[in-house]
Amino acid sequence: MKAYEFYLRDPAKGNKLVGILPERRKDPARITEKSVMNWVEKLFIDGLSDRDIFFIQVTISSEK
């Protein structure tokens, strides 16, 4: 399963993980960098610019 780790840039203290969200959209054409950034700004951090936050796509294993 795809997921995104979102980080807040902090030059003084280093990057801070602010959240992880799983990708649930079935249509890959709807998944863009802009759509992912809009998603995190609505859920976690409203009002920050793209320079303040970034994401990394990761794979989450469902195996236990």
Side-chain angles (χ1 to χ4, degrees), residues 15-27:
N15 298 327
K16 178 182 175 187
L17 178 67
V18 292
I20 302 171
L21 294 173
E23 178 57 71
R24 296 187 176 166
R25 292 174 281 196
K26 303 289 185 210
D27 182 5

Side-chain angles (χ1 to χ4, degrees), residues 25-43:
R25 292 174 281 196
K26 303 289 185 210
D27 182 5
R30 293 183 53 220
I31 304 168
T32 64
E33 183 174 341
K34 183 171 175 58
S35 70
V36 174
M37 292 304 291
N38 286 339
W39 190 27
V40 73
E41 288 173 5
K42 288 179 185 178
L43 292 176

Side-chain angles (χ1 to χ4, degrees):
M1 168 190 282
K2 288 183 189 178
Y4 304 99
E5 293 179 346
F6 295 93
Y7 293 88
L8 181 62
R9 286 188 178 95
D10 185 344
K13 297 179 183 176
N15 298 327
K16 178 182 175 187
L17 178 67
V18 292
I20 302 171
L21 294 173
E23 178 57 71
R24 296 187 176 166
R25 292 174 281 196
K26 303 289 185 210
D27 182 5
R30 293 183 53 220
I31 304 168
T32 64
E33 183 174 341
K34 183 171 175 58
S35 70
V36 174
M37 292 304 291
N38 286 339
W39 190 27
V40 73
E41 288 173 5
K42 288 179 185 178
L43 292 176
F44 292 128
I45 304 173
D46 192 26
L48 289 179
S49 73
D50 291 348
R51 293 173 297 182
D52 298 327
I53 194 160
F54 67 96
F55 69 91
I56 299 171
Q57 183 177 323
V58 295
T59 301
I60 299 174
S61 174
S62 59
E63 295 179 21
K64 292 185 179 183

